[in-house]
Every structure is written in C-alpha cells, then in structure tokens.
C-alpha cells in the first residue's frame, strides 16, 4: 500500500474515533428523564433478545446498554494436547457493555467487557487448574450496520491459570487487534502464549499448563 494511502487510512480512523466519541457524548450526557426509549428491533442489526438490551435515542443516534451470561460449558476439549492427551475445560462467561448506533439506526461500534472463569483438567491424571479472563472488547465497524466489517481490539487479561492451592501457572495478557471477518491478527503487544501455541504452532508455549497437570 502506498504511503499516501496509509496516511489517509490513519486519518480516516482518527476521524471515525472522534465521530464515535461525539455520538456517545451526545447520547449519554443528557438528563436521564429526557431519554427516549428505542425499540431494539428497529435497529440494524438488532441486539439479540438474550442481550437484555435497553436502548435510548439522543441527538447523535442510539445507545443500547446490555448484559448477559452464556450457558456454562462443561468438560469440553480445549485444543491443548499434553503428552498425547487433550485437556478439557469448564467455562462460565458474563458480559456487560454498549452498542452504539448512528442516526440511521445502523450499528457503528460494539464496546463490552467479558469476564470468564472455569477449570482446565487433564482427564488422565484428574488434576485441574483454575483459570480466568477479564478483557475489554471494542469493535469499530468499517461499514455501518455490517457487523462482519471492521477491526476488533481485545485488551486486558486474556488468560490466567493457577493451582488449587495457589500459585500462578501462566499469564496471557496485553492487546490484540484482529480483522473481525477472519480473525486475522493485525498486531499484538504483551504476552500471548495462546497465539504462539494455536497460531504460530509453538508446542512448548503452553508447557507450564501441561507440567502443572502432569
């Protein structure tokens, strides 16, 4: 890509960030009593019903506050193989956040925080680790209303595992920017052992987990 195109792209992203900030401020700063409810079903795309979305209109568009929890996952393969045995994991996940829509009712940003907790178990030895994740996810859509477009950033604690008696085994944290449609990683910073294992094929990247469950 030519230098001029990169500069234009950076400028466009900066202007988009300013516009999104203005939208959030316009919708959120007014008195609570003046907020006008919006039917989530009129938005594009509409928040799923299980998001428990509450949507309100403002001068710049619509903001939907949301909160939900996934069904628990129990005893599922996790994709980590230790000495020929695939580990199993349990998981609980809860989410709180907001979806920002423009004046046409088209989605322009998703901004939410995830909290995960669970265990990882070696079915051969019966040993388990506790694990958690707490991250912030921001998805800026490249095309308003097209949820498959744009890039997504993940920031925070991506994974921490520890022994039942205490003692951290492995930490994965930092920031990752990905293409939403494909999951392709554009850039990362911090410690990303899971990327090293699953994407780069480094079989030793998660060895501390295998050692703890041996």
């Amino acid at each position: 890509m030519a230098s001029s195109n990169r500069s234009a792209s950076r400028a466009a992203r900066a202007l988009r960030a300013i516009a999104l900030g203005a939208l959030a401020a316009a919708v959120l700063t007014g008195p609570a009593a003046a907020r006008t409810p919006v039917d989530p079903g009129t938005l594009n795309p509409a928040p799923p019903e299980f998001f428990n979305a509450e949507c309100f209109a403002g001068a710049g568009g619509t903001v939907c506050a949301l909160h939900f929890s996934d069904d628990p996952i129990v005893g599922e393969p996790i994709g980590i193989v230790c000495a020929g045995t695939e580990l199993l994991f349990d998981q609980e996940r809860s989410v709180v956040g907001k979806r920002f829509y423009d004046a046409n009712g088209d989605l322009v940003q998703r901004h939410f925080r995830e909290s995960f907790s669970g265990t990882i178990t070696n079915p051969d030895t019966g040993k388990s680790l506790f694990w958690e994740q707490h991250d912030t996810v921001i998805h800026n859509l490249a095309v308003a209303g097209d949820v498959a477009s744009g890039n997504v950033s993940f920031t925070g604690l991506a994974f921490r595992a520890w022994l039942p008696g205490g003692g951290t085994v492995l930490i994965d944290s930092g920031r990752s920017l990905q293409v939403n449609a494909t999951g392709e990683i554009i850039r990362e910073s911090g410690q990303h052992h899971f990327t090293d294992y699953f994407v780069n094929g480094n079989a030793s990247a998660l060895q501390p987990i295998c050692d703890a469950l041996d």
Side-chain angles (χ1 to χ4, degrees), residues 104-123:
N104 295 320
D106 294 324
L107 183 65
V108 292
Q109 186 188 73
R110 300 187 301 142
H111 188 157
F112 58 93
R113 180 168 174 78
E114 305 173 296
S115 294
F116 295 79
S117 63
T119 60
I120 297 177
T121 302
N122 184 327

Side-chain angles (χ1 to χ4, degrees), residues 21-186:
L23 167 62
V27 175
L28 296 176
T29 55
R35 295 190 303 176
T36 302
V38 172
D39 179 359
T42 65
L43 301 171
N44 174 42
E49 288 189 10
F50 71 88
F51 277 17
N52 305 304
E54 295 183 335
C55 304
F56 296 90
T62 301
V63 172
C64 297
L66 58 92
H67 63 90
F68 64 91
S69 297
D70 292 341
D71 292 334
I73 296 174
V74 179
E76 290 291 324
I78 195 173
I80 303 172
V81 178
C82 299
T85 297
E86 185 170 8
L87 305 182
L88 306 177
F89 79 107
D90 297 348
Q91 172 185 294
E92 293 187 357
R93 174 179 179 251
S94 61
V95 176
V96 295
K98 289 182 171 64
R99 289 163 71 104
F100 296 90
Y101 294 81
D102 63 18
N104 295 320
D106 294 324
L107 183 65
V108 292
Q109 186 188 73
R110 300 187 301 142
H111 188 157
F112 58 93
R113 180 168 174 78
E114 305 173 296
S115 294
F116 295 79
S117 63
T119 60
I120 297 177
T121 302
N122 184 327
D124 287 347
T125 64
K127 293 182 179 180
S128 296
L129 294 172
F130 295 110
W131 70 275
E132 64 179 351
Q133 175 179 333
H134 303 287
D135 63 351
T136 298
V137 182
I138 301 176
H139 174 201
N140 291 319
L141 282 68
V143 178
D146 182 1
V147 74
S149 69
N151 298 329
V152 185
S153 69
F154 300 84
T155 306
L157 179 66
F159 182 85
R160 182 176 80 92
W162 69 94
L163 296 164
T168 297
V169 172
L170 184 135
I171 292 179
D172 192 308
S173 64
R175 184 173 186 269
S176 175
L177 184 65
Q178 302 179 12
V179 178
N180 190 53
T182 64
E184 176 189 356
I185 298 171
I186 300 173

